Each structure stands twice: as C-alpha cells, then as structure tokens.
Amino acid sequence: MPSAPTFDQTLRREFDRQGYFVIERYLSEADCQRLRAQALSLAAGYELSDGAAVFSTRTHAHGAQRYFLDSARDVRCFLEEDARDANGDLRQPLRQCINKIGHALHDLDPVFGPFSHSDSVRDLAEAMGLVEPKPIQSMVIFKQPRIGGEVVWHQDATFLYTDPVSVVGFWFALEAATVENGCLQVLPGRHRDGLKRRFIRVDDQTRFETLDSSRWDLSEAVSLEVPEGALVGLHGLLPHASAPNSGPASRLAYSLHLIDGQCHYPADNWLQ
Ligand code: FE2
C-alpha cells in the first residue's frame, strides 16, 4: 500500500488554483511492480472470444455497444483503435493491442480493489474536499508502444457527473510518462470555467449533451511528464488529454475516479 501522502497546504492551493497536482513519489517501486504485474496478468488472460470492443475517444463508437455498457460493473478489455491492419489482423501480439481494462477493477480485482479502497487513497480524496469519497470507476490504461491511441480533450465530470460536480481523478503512473509515449496534458486553471458537455445514457443509447459550446485555448496546454510511481490528481472539471504513443515504450497507468457520496448521482449517467 502507498505510504501516507503529503497533501499539504501548498498542494491544496495548487490544486485549487491549477486544477491538478503531482506527487512524484506516491507509489513505492514495490507498489508499482505489484500493480504492473496484475495489469499484465489481466491482459495475458484475455482472449478475443471473451468479447472485444475498440476504445476510441475520438468517435465514441464503443458507446452504443453492450460490451462497453456492461463494463461498468465488470473487468473488460478494450482494444486500441489501430490494433488491426487493413486485413483485419492484429498488428502486434494480442496483449500488446489492449488499450485499456475497465471499469470496475476497484470493486472486483483482488489487487486493484484493496489498493483503490486503501486509507491512503481515501485520506487524499478527503483532503481534496470530498466528504464521503466513493471509488466509482477504474481503468488500467496501457498506451501501447507505437499504436497507443490519443485521448481527446475532455473533462471527467462529462462522464461522471454529480450535482454539484465532485469527481476527482487519481492517475497513477505505473511507468514513466513522457511526451514521446503520450503523457497527460492539462489546461491549468481552466477547471474554473465550468462543464462543457455531459455524456448521457438513455435506454442503453449514449449521447453527448452540450452545455457550453465555447472552445478551449489549447495553446495553454502543459505536458505532465512524470516518473514511475507518480500520482497526478485531477479536478473533475480540468480539461485534459493525451497524445498517441509514438515511441517504443508503453505508458502503463492506473486511473481511479472518486465522487462524493453526498452529492446527487443522476440516473442518466452512463455508469450505473
Ligand atoms: Fe479523463
């Protein structure tokens, strides 16, 4: 388990002002190794016959698929958009074609479960302002060498909306994240501009509802290169993205989202 984090007044101020913070040595080497080994073992156990869906934040074509919706309460693998060549064959061995595994590792997985419900994670979420922190969505994100796909600019509150907005994202670097392998990018301070869209589910169909059609100024983007073991904390309204992985190294991360159990959780959120 991670040691007690040092979320002091300085970090709190940074979080309030910028909408994110970085704790460089949050996970020990042993923690990283353990979580990485579990991620790889989940990937190794995956067969295409288990069901497959491509995960794309550009098209959201996965959104209408039963496989995607049912992953809300399961542990399922999603393939990279570029996993297949023109003939439909996998470009790399299957385990190197997995984009991510989601979305209920925090409840169902014997390793990621206890980690996600640890005192350390809860204390940190409380320090960030959540009264009743509730892990609600989790993903292992592989960002595979050469084919690791882009994650387009978004706010996590689009997908995990509460009234008032309470979601926070914990992004644990299980490997070093660099510009080359597609590290997180953020728009510092823009969490104060409100929510632009909601991702809504009605009768097993999903769609976006626009709340504010203005555009973000992407010239303000900052790349967050972090070492293995780092934790990036993200405000639910902070715009963030990541570029494709153009390099030879993967960029494995564990992403955990928590909401405040005291806030209203609407019945039309995709994740129920
Ligand atoms: Fe996100």
Side-chain angles (χ1 to χ4, degrees):
M1 285 299 108
S3 52
T6 47
F7 192 77
D8 54 15
Q9 284 306 312
T10 312
L11 270 190
R12 175 71 203 232
R13 272 197 298 275
E14 190 174 315
F15 178 59
D16 290 343
R17 199 179 69 241
Q18 308 273 54
Y20 72 96
F21 65 86
V22 178
I23 300 177
E24 290 221 341
R25 271 186 228 102
Y26 184 79
L27 297 174
S28 68
E29 230 177 285
D31 284 332
C32 281
Q33 258 172 30
R34 199 165 50 84
L35 297 174
R36 258 195 327 259
Q38 180 64 4
L40 295 176
S41 134
L42 288 169
Y46 170 65
E47 311 261 354
L48 275 179
S49 54
D50 296 343
V54 164
F55 187 77
S56 166
T57 63
R58 290 187 306 106
T59 64
H60 281 276
H62 58 274
Q65 296 176 31
R66 191 79 245 167
Y67 185 84
F68 169 71
L69 292 174
D70 289 347
S71 73
R73 306 265 29 100
D74 201 356
V75 174
R76 298 193 171 189
C77 292
F78 293 82
L79 298 183
E80 294 283 359
E81 210 174 349
D82 285 337
R84 294 179 193 276
D85 62 21
N87 297 323
D89 298 322
L90 294 177
R91 289 177 198 276
Q92 315 191 133
L94 179 57
R95 74 176 74 173
Q96 282 169 29
C97 290
I98 297 173
N99 169 292
K100 69 170 189 177
I101 304 174
H103 290 93
L105 294 140
H106 60 284
D107 279 338
L108 302 176
D109 187 80
V111 176
F112 286 102
F115 172 78
S116 307
H117 288 272
S118 64
D119 291 348
S120 167
V121 164
R122 195 201 51 236
D123 291 350
L124 189 52
E126 283 177 358
M128 290 161 76
L130 276 66
V131 178
E132 197 185 306
K134 235 171 112 171
I136 187 164
Q137 176 184 277
S138 47
M139 295 176 261
V140 163
I141 306 168
F142 287 91
K143 200 70 126 177
Q144 301 282 2
R146 296 170 296 275
I147 61 165
E150 170 189 19
V151 174
V152 299
W153 287 96
H154 68 281
Q155 297 164 298
D156 289 337
T158 290
F159 302 95
L160 298 167
Y161 181 75
T162 62
D163 185 15
V165 168
S166 64
V167 63
V168 295
F170 287 169
W171 194 92
F172 303 94
L174 303 185
E175 291 175 324
T178 65
V179 168
E180 188 185 47
N181 69 13
C183 65
L184 280 176
Q185 299 171 50
V186 296
L187 296 179
R190 295 279 72 83
H191 62 301
R192 287 186 246 113
D193 297 348
L195 184 60
K196 290 215 185 294
R197 303 199 291 175
R198 274 195 63 202
F199 187 60
I200 287 176
R201 168 178 179 170
V202 180
D203 296 335
D204 290 349
Q205 294 298 314
T206 55
R207 64 180 164 82
F208 284 98
E209 180 182 277
T210 300
L211 307 173
D212 167 4
S213 56
S214 64
R215 299 250 177 153
W216 287 309
D217 178 1
L218 301 185
S219 69
E220 297 173 357
V222 169
S223 293
L224 299 182
E225 290 199 306
V226 294
E228 175 187 316
L231 163 64
V232 181
L234 297 165
H235 190 287
L237 291 175
L238 186 76
H240 58 285
S242 66
N245 183 354
S246 57
S250 58
R251 193 227 59 189
L252 191 59
Y254 179 56
S255 164
L256 175 67
H257 291 96
L258 300 98
I259 55 165
D260 192 329
Q262 302 222 327
C263 298
H264 172 64
Y265 190 84
D268 60 359
N269 273 348
W270 87 268
L271 190 150
Q272 292 294 328

